[in-house]
Amino acid sequence: MEGTEKKVALSGIQPTGIFTLGNYLGAVRNWEKLQKNYECIFFIANLHSLTTKRDATILKDLTSKIVALLIACGIDTNKHTLFIQSDISYHAELSWILQCLTQFGELKRMTQFKDKSQKNSSNINAGLFCYPVLMAADILLYNPDVIPIGIDQKQHLELTETIATRFNNTYGKTFKIPKGYIPEIGAKIMSLTDPTKKMSKSDENQNSFISILDTEETILNKFKKATTDSDNKIIYSEEKPGISNLLSIFSSFADCSVEDAEDHFKNKTYKDLKFETADVVAKNLKPVQEKYNELLKDRNKLKKICEEGAEKARAIAKKTLDDVYEKVGLK
Ligand code: ATP
Ligand code: MG
């Protein structure tokens, strides 16, 4: 029924830790919203997570925890597709073909590669270098219309566009060029301890991020310790990354604009900003945590959901890969 089909949204998250406020506000919250008007495909990017050292048992455990957490955040697996990346071998296969269409210089420019190489200077592996190409394969296998991501992934999405265009120009129109879907507020939530760096779930410093599963007490303690400045003005400004970050988090959860948040804190102190932000975050996370704890009791059910998701996704991916194999002369 061409023409009447819903547009497709696709995105993934790595099982590198329980996800943070950054992942939630930058990506997962939009995944939840897009379900209304899009056919959604979401996946746990476990192949990507091997680009940094992983303990196998922890990785397996985290993978099912992230599945539970996504469902707790409102991902409806009855209507949409959720799967685990490694369950579909086509991702790795398409990635190889796309690598042969990607220039060394293009990958060398990627800021995530530079940042992560700096952080893990003893393990700058080829997988980390080729990460954006696997991401291009993840996307292009499903020909989606929109990709809901945080701003840190924008550069990778632009590279996906370059690779897809190059493939189309070389072998004939095959891939749709996907568009990013980046939120106005929350596209880049910053670390609480160093607000010039993005909040990351794989950060070794636990105080730098709020995990979706943090208790009310931990949330308050982390916000209390958050780095700010000393001029006591609660305004959103590039010169005040710590305060601006807290205002972004507050307004995202209080569902108001940053201007409204500035207004709300006009005659208040940094302490008020920290306490009220902690409060609104904890209140919003509580129902998610309750649902998560319930879902985690039945890991077999979670496994089954992902197997069913993989079955649906595999059928779409196979069609694309067959087409690609034929076009490049492998079939
Ligand atoms: P890692 O440190 O292991 O790379 P991460 O926190 O960056 O973990 P990813 O799994 O790489 O998380 O990314 C999942 C999604 O979350 C992506 O769409 C990414 O753009 C988004 N995201 C990650 N960090 C932030 C952030 N600080 N603010 C907003 N969005 C973010
Ligand atoms: Mg990341």
Side-chain angles (χ1 to χ4, degrees):
M1 288 222 298
E2 220 163 307
T4 59
E5 279 166 19
K6 268 191 178 173
K7 290 200 164 184
V8 175
L10 173 136
S11 202
I13 187 161
Q14 298 187 75
T16 43
I18 294 297
F19 56 79
T20 69
L21 275 192
N23 305 125
Y24 180 68
L25 296 175
V28 176
R29 195 156 80 154
N30 277 339
W31 297 13
E32 199 258 324
K33 282 189 197 150
L34 286 168
Q35 292 181 113
K36 204 167 154 226
N37 295 316
Y38 286 80
E39 171 76 48
C40 295
I41 304 174
F42 301 126
F43 64 96
I44 316 294
N46 59 347
L47 294 176
H48 282 279
S49 73
L50 296 178
T51 55
T52 47
K53 280 202 186 86
R54 300 275 133 215
D55 174 279
T57 314
I58 296 176
L59 175 59
K60 229 173 140 182
D61 179 60
L62 262 174
T63 303
S64 65
K65 284 181 170 159
I66 299 285
V67 171
L69 207 45
L70 288 175
I71 300 173
C73 285
I75 300 308
D76 183 353
T77 54
N78 291 316
K79 295 197 181 120
H80 301 276
T81 306
L82 177 63
F83 70 91
I84 294 166
Q85 186 186 29
S86 61
D87 280 346
I88 303 182
S89 57
Y90 305 133
H91 289 243
E93 288 181 61
L94 181 61
S95 178
W96 173 256
I97 292 171
L98 299 182
Q99 275 178 52
C100 299
L101 284 172
T102 309
Q103 297 303 301
F104 183 84
E106 287 171 323
L107 292 175
K108 227 173 102 187
R109 279 198 292 275
M110 295 293 111
T111 52
Q112 177 178 285
F113 174 68
K114 289 186 213 163
D115 289 349
K116 292 204 171 183
S117 303
Q118 212 175 24
K119 262 196 217 160
N120 301 293
S121 55
S122 60
N123 184 24
I124 308 175
N125 59 76
L128 187 65
F129 189 67
C130 294
Y131 180 115
V133 190
L134 179 57
M135 178 166 156
D138 296 336
I139 295 170
L140 299 175
L141 273 177
Y142 302 93
N143 272 307
D145 299 278
V146 294
I147 317 294
I149 43 169
I151 216 158
D152 64 300
Q153 292 301 323
K154 192 167 172 255
Q155 195 186 30
H156 289 167
L157 192 61
E158 284 164 1
L159 184 64
T160 299
E161 190 178 327
T162 304
I163 298 171
T165 307
R166 192 169 293 150
F167 189 99
N168 287 348
N169 289 341
T170 313
Y171 297 107
K173 174 110 179 56
T174 307
F175 299 122
K176 205 184 265 180
I177 307 299
K179 293 260 162 299
Y181 186 100
I182 296 172
E184 250 171 63
I185 311 174
K188 193 173 185 186
I189 298 296
M190 309 310 279
S191 152
L192 296 183
T193 47
D194 179 356
T196 61
K197 297 211 172 85
K198 92 167 182 77
M199 185 181 281
S200 288
K201 61 176 132 60
S202 61
D203 201 313
E204 274 168 19
N205 183 355
Q206 297 279 321
N207 285 325
S208 73
F209 59 79
I210 303 283
S211 151
I212 298 296
L213 297 181
D214 278 345
T215 62
E216 199 175 339
E217 198 191 347
T218 306
I219 293 172
L220 181 60
N221 280 332
K222 287 184 179 176
F223 275 117
K224 273 202 225 162
K225 286 190 195 127
T227 304
T228 51
D229 53 50
S230 54
D231 80 351
N232 273 318
K233 286 194 193 90
I234 303 182
I235 46 168
Y236 191 95
S237 141
E238 254 177 47
E239 280 119 61
K240 296 168 71 70
I243 293 299
S244 301
N245 194 34
L246 294 180
L247 281 169
S248 293
I249 296 171
F250 178 86
S251 57
S252 296
F253 279 107
D255 225 2
C256 64
S257 66
V258 170
E259 292 76 28
D260 288 343
E262 281 175 330
D263 224 39
H264 174 81
F265 288 107
K266 211 170 181 177
N267 297 313
K268 296 189 180 183
T269 63
Y270 282 5
K271 191 175 163 204
D272 296 323
L273 174 63
K274 289 181 166 184
F275 273 70
E276 286 192 43
T277 304
D279 189 53
V280 75
V281 168
K283 278 206 176 84
N284 274 275
L285 294 187
K286 202 160 177 241
V288 173
Q289 295 173 351
E290 282 167 2
K291 191 143 186 242
Y292 166 82
N293 287 326
E294 205 43 51
L295 286 161
L296 209 62
K297 285 182 192 155
D298 193 349
R299 296 234 189 184
N300 278 334
K301 193 172 167 199
L302 297 173
K303 200 169 158 224
K304 200 161 162 265
I305 288 172
C306 291
E307 281 167 5
E308 284 169 8
E311 209 173 304
K312 277 200 275 173
R314 195 177 292 114
I316 306 169
K318 183 178 187 317
K319 244 174 115 179
T320 308
L321 197 74
D322 280 350
D323 185 26
V324 166
Y325 267 35
E326 207 169 296
K327 283 191 168 126
V328 302
L330 296 179
K331 233 183 187 166

